[in-house]
Amino acid sequence: LKELLERYGREITPNKQGIVQEISRIKKLCKHPIARIRLSNLTSNDIVKFRDERLETVSGSTVAKELSLISHAIKTAMREWGFQLPNNPVDNITRPTANKARNRRLEEGEEQPLLVSCGQSSNHWFLPLVVVAIETGMRRGELLSLEWDHVHLDKSWVHLPMTKNGESRDVPLSPKAKDILRSLPRDISGKVFPIHFEGLKSLWRRAMKRAGLQDLHFHDLRHEATSRFFELGLNVVEVAAITGHKDLKMLQRYTHLRAEDLARKLQ
């Protein structure tokens, strides 16, 4: 299985969105004992044991993604690479249910400690990255892949040539986001935020510890930004144009508006 996953990572993953995340997932899977099993000997029982073991330490959503990756790699091997296997053992098991959608936002008094803690990092791109995330609602992968060639400060927008949903998108920049981007040094890579996916995870974990914040994920900044767009008075279509949500129903969970803010509008 390890050899199959590595080949999949070389030949299939580069054609997908979220390349960095999937490569990271493949590397972790290759270190697991299940990766040492010969494909001809891999059974549904092996997959079940893997699923149950992983569920003890990670979320159902994470395990579901890992199982989908293993399953697609095996299907690709059978359909396109001439592997003669009796079946796909992942097809015959129950997949874990995805986690309930998060509604975590920055509570009162959390934003300042968050930004102070991020500013204490030795990585001088980290704090700007966090601020721009809050200001724009861009996904982690979109921010980390953003290149200076696609930043138009004079017109207050950035271009994302390829996003998670497979389409390009133009994201408007607030005055604060523009000021942050204008102040950044230019890296030789051409990336606006030359931070590796795994590196960002470590930076975020240390920042949360310094700030004493609990249960706050980097992706929650996208929820925070999207909620703020609604609080500014933007309608669903306008917010979807900024965030890239194709299914407008998905935005319902992002409109978790604070009751006190709504109450003020009723005065």
Side-chain angles (χ1 to χ4, degrees):
L1 180 59
K2 179 176 183 291
E3 294 174 0
L4 171 61
L5 290 171
E6 289 175 339
R7 179 178 177 181
Y8 186 89
R10 292 192 303 269
E11 300 184 20
I12 305 300
T13 300
N15 300 316
K16 294 184 178 184
Q17 298 305 307
I19 298 173
V20 175
Q21 293 92 325
E22 184 159 288
I23 290 297
S24 175
R25 190 170 292 121
I26 288 174
K27 288 181 178 179
K28 290 179 181 177
L29 285 172
C30 287
K31 294 178 181 179
H32 192 278
I34 196 174
R36 297 196 293 269
I37 300 177
R38 290 180 61 86
L39 288 171
S40 57
N41 296 332
L42 188 64
T43 67
S44 295
N45 189 48
D46 295 318
I47 301 296
V48 167
K49 290 180 179 178
F50 167 79
R51 177 200 65 195
D52 294 346
E53 177 191 323
R54 291 291 287 150
L55 285 173
E56 293 179 0
T57 56
V58 298
S59 69
S61 296
T62 296
V63 178
K65 290 176 183 177
E66 293 173 344
L67 292 175
S68 293
L69 176 56
I70 294 173
S71 179
H72 195 255
I74 293 174
K75 287 180 180 178
T76 301
M78 295 170 66
R79 293 174 179 174
E80 301 184 17
W81 297 341
F83 282 51
Q84 300 298 319
L85 299 173
N87 56 52
N88 184 343
V90 186
D91 287 343
N92 302 320
I93 74 163
T94 301
R95 306 284 184 98
T97 57
N99 297 349
K100 183 180 178 181
R102 290 174 60 85
N103 287 320
R104 177 72 157 91
R105 290 193 60 181
L106 291 172
E107 300 294 338
E108 184 176 353
E110 287 188 332
E111 184 168 0
Q112 187 61 24
L114 168 66
L115 297 181
V116 169
S117 179
C118 292
Q120 293 171 341
S121 170
S122 59
N123 188 309
H124 53 266
W125 279 288
F126 182 44
L127 174 59
L129 173 71
V130 170
V131 174
V132 172
I134 296 174
E135 290 292 310
T136 65
M138 284 194 282
R139 299 178 179 92
R140 174 179 54 188
E142 294 168 349
L143 289 161
L144 296 182
S145 62
L146 182 64
E147 299 182 356
W148 282 111
D149 287 345
H150 297 138
V151 176
H152 306 281
L153 292 177
D154 56 330
K155 298 181 179 179
S156 303
W157 58 279
V158 299
H159 177 65
L160 303 176
M162 187 61 72
T163 65
K164 183 179 180 180
N165 60 29
E167 298 180 357
S168 62
R169 185 168 92 254
D170 295 332
V171 180
L173 297 173
S174 67
K176 187 173 184 178
K178 283 174 57 179
D179 289 342
I180 289 291
L181 291 175
R182 191 175 285 115
S183 69
L184 288 179
R186 303 296 179 98
D187 187 73
I188 192 172
S189 68
K191 295 287 183 64
V192 176
F193 301 106
I195 303 175
H196 189 272
F197 169 70
E198 292 294 338
L200 177 56
K201 289 169 62 176
S202 297
L203 290 169
W204 183 259
R205 186 168 53 250
R206 291 194 293 268
M208 292 306 96
K209 185 176 181 179
R210 285 194 300 266
L213 299 179
Q214 302 295 323
D215 189 38
L216 182 65
H217 301 173
F218 186 87
H219 189 72
D220 293 331
L221 302 183
R222 175 169 163 83
H223 178 71
E224 177 67 28
T226 309
S227 298
R228 291 185 183 187
F229 293 148
F230 281 107
E231 290 170 346
L232 287 171
L234 277 65
N235 62 44
V236 172
V237 175
E238 291 170 331
V239 173
I242 298 174
T243 62
H245 286 90
K246 297 184 73 173
D247 184 354
L248 298 187
K249 292 181 180 179
M250 286 288 292
L251 284 173
Q252 291 178 353
R253 73 183 184 92
Y254 284 96
T255 59
H256 187 64
L257 308 183
R258 293 187 175 94
E260 58 265 34
D261 295 328
L262 294 175
R264 280 194 288 270
K265 292 185 177 183
L266 297 175
Q267 300 301 318

